[in-house]
Amino acid sequence: MQPTKKDFYSLYIKGNWGFSKAVSKITRFKGHARPLGKKKSVSVVKETKFNDSVISINATFLEVVDAGNRLRGLATPFGLVGGLATLLSGWLVIYYMVAKSTSVPIPIYFLATLLLLLVVLIGFPIFNSLVRRDMFRKTHYPMRFNRRDRKVYAWSQDMGIVTMSWDDIQFYTSEATKSQDRRGMSREEIRGYVRDRNGNMLYHLVFFKYEGFKGMKGVLEIWELVRRYMEEPDGYIQAYQVDQRLLDLDGKRESFIHSLIQATQVIADSRILQVILAMAITWTGTGRLIAKWTCRVPRWPEWVEEKCRVAPDDPYVRNRHTERPLSAKEIVWPLFCYLLGWAEVLTILYFCFRGYF
């Protein structure tokens, strides 16, 4: 399963950063890896958590979001701002070359042509990749862990719906090396792979990831929740009783306030840091809102819904319809941080450009 030029193109230009063939091939066993057994509890986890990863729960299946959902929208502002700047600079170069074609010296004409080529060949692919990473896709790529037929149904960016047997997936923790940490490539996630009968790897993907101060412990709390759900007789009851809020993604696009909540939490777990980093929350929150509203909501096909049919009298159903409404405290704080960030941005812009007005 060697990566090809097409895989690299899909990863960097088209923006396949989620569950896709490109990632399955390119993301190899690098860094610190430790296998995870499905039959044994993780010793460091005393209590399972949703950690902004679970969409719905019932006695038949548990649905979780893709590993990249927490960072959704972070790259969008970079792509939009950089893309607009690239288009503007390209237009200015073309305009200058056409309008001043008779008076432009040959060296300047050559440099302008070189700049235009750099814009087209380097700038556009980079910013297109940043935009395509989050925008014009699905709002999220969910996975369903079905304890009844012991299957995992997962949305893929370029493979449609992928079905895997829970018993065939080999899970392991993946952490960055010290060298990768120094280069800003920190990584705490749980991956899994499936091999065919001949030992060839069919899929290799990231199942769970957590962005926050808890690091690997946060990921293991999600893993332990899913492991208990699939392996223990009362796993669905344990999952039902977790005292955390589910994601507001069950069959719908994420709402404005829930996008701000996710943007606030992914920047920092501490409220003090959230105030200090208010501009970062504004940046991420705005990017998340734009990205989510350019994407389509994923709809499971009928055959998956049939396999995951929930009993009408199931008393362990939890989804966005059964969750309690957001409290005033949950709404006001992320909205305050978001507006504070905008106030800081506008203040900085005012003092930088007040002499021009």
Side-chain angles (χ1 to χ4, degrees):
M1 193 174 180
Q2 296 297 320
T4 64
K5 292 181 180 179
K6 183 179 178 181
D7 294 318
F8 283 101
Y9 175 83
S10 295
L11 183 65
Y12 294 108
I13 307 302
K14 292 174 64 178
N16 281 332
W17 297 89
F19 175 19
S20 68
K21 289 181 180 178
V23 174
S24 296
K25 292 183 179 182
I26 294 172
T27 329
R28 309 308 297 171
F29 298 92
K30 296 179 181 179
H32 301 296
R34 180 170 58 88
L36 289 169
K38 302 189 189 79
K39 303 296 183 181
K40 186 178 180 181
S41 296
V42 180
S43 59
V44 298
V45 176
K46 304 303 180 184
E47 185 179 10
T48 59
K49 299 287 185 181
F50 292 162
N51 289 342
D52 298 315
S53 294
V54 180
I55 299 173
S56 62
I57 297 169
N58 52 68
T60 302
F61 68 87
L62 182 148
E63 185 169 328
V64 301
V65 77
D66 58 286
N69 184 67
R70 278 203 99 178
L71 293 179
R72 196 70 179 270
L74 188 61
T76 300
F78 290 103
L80 292 177
V81 173
L84 290 174
T86 300
L87 290 175
L88 180 61
S89 62
W91 180 83
L92 289 174
V93 169
I94 294 174
Y95 174 79
Y96 183 79
M97 292 171 63
V98 172
K100 307 289 184 179
S101 58
T102 57
S103 59
V104 175
I106 296 298
I108 300 299
Y109 196 88
F110 175 77
L111 290 175
T113 304
L114 181 62
L115 177 61
L116 185 61
L117 288 175
L118 290 175
V119 168
V120 173
L121 298 178
I122 299 178
F124 177 76
I126 291 175
F127 295 117
N128 178 56
S129 173
L130 291 172
V131 170
R132 291 287 302 276
R133 177 177 179 177
D134 291 330
M135 300 173 66
F136 310 112
R137 297 180 173 275
K138 300 293 184 185
T139 55
H140 60 290
Y141 293 85
M143 290 180 283
R144 282 186 176 180
F145 295 84
N146 191 314
R147 60 179 279 120
R148 186 169 58 194
D149 63 8
R150 300 187 67 76
K151 297 289 186 181
V152 178
Y153 304 95
W155 264 95
S156 165
Q157 292 189 18
D158 56 4
M159 293 182 283
I161 306 297
V162 176
T163 304
M164 297 165 281
S165 172
W166 166 260
D167 298 314
D168 291 340
I169 304 173
Q170 304 296 314
F171 292 98
Y172 68 98
T173 62
S174 177
E175 300 179 72
T177 62
K178 292 181 179 179
S179 173
Q180 290 171 327
D181 279 331
R182 286 194 296 268
R183 286 179 286 159
M185 301 172 64
S186 178
R187 181 185 70 247
E188 291 88 19
E189 57 198 23
I190 290 178
R191 300 181 181 182
Y193 61 89
V194 179
R195 298 185 186 274
D196 61 17
R197 295 180 179 178
N198 298 320
N200 299 315
M201 191 177 296
L202 295 176
Y203 308 115
H204 178 211
L205 57 142
V206 178
F207 276 90
F208 312 111
K209 192 172 184 177
Y210 178 79
E211 303 291 342
F213 288 152
K214 290 195 291 186
M216 181 54 74
K217 184 180 179 183
V219 190
L220 290 173
E221 287 173 345
I222 307 168
W223 155 255
E224 184 64 16
L225 174 80
V226 176
R227 189 203 67 78
R228 292 181 186 181
Y229 180 86
M230 294 296 289
E231 294 291 341
E232 299 186 4
D234 64 338
Y236 60 97
I237 300 177
Q238 295 183 47
Y240 178 83
Q241 293 174 341
V242 172
D243 186 22
Q244 278 189 330
R245 183 177 290 280
L246 296 172
L247 290 174
D248 185 46
L249 291 174
D250 189 12
K252 67 181 288 290
R253 185 176 281 105
E254 191 175 73
S255 67
F256 171 78
I257 193 63
H258 280 91
S259 289
L260 296 189
I261 290 172
Q262 290 298 310
T264 303
Q265 293 175 345
V266 77
I267 292 299
D269 293 334
S270 165
R271 289 204 166 185
I272 296 176
L273 284 178
Q274 288 169 358
V275 172
I276 296 173
L277 301 175
M279 283 195 294
I281 292 173
T282 298
W283 178 275
T284 305
T286 303
R288 189 178 184 90
L289 289 168
I290 295 172
K292 290 284 186 176
W293 282 99
T294 62
C295 298
R296 293 177 296 173
V297 178
R299 306 289 182 187
W300 291 102
E302 285 296 325
W303 65 271
V304 174
E305 295 289 5
E306 182 63 31
K307 294 285 187 180
C308 300
R309 191 170 299 280
V310 182
D313 57 346
D314 186 350
Y316 299 103
V317 174
R318 281 186 67 180
N319 51 43
R320 66 181 179 88
H321 302 290
T322 62
E323 290 294 278
R324 58 177 174 79
L326 287 169
S327 65
K329 183 179 179 180
E330 291 175 299
I331 296 174
V332 170
W333 181 255
L335 186 60
F336 166 75
C337 293
Y338 182 71
L339 295 177
L340 176 63
W342 270 118
E344 293 175 355
V345 170
L346 294 175
T347 301
I348 293 172
L349 291 177
Y350 170 76
F351 283 105
C352 288
F353 297 101
R354 62 178 177 175
Y356 296 94
F357 299 99

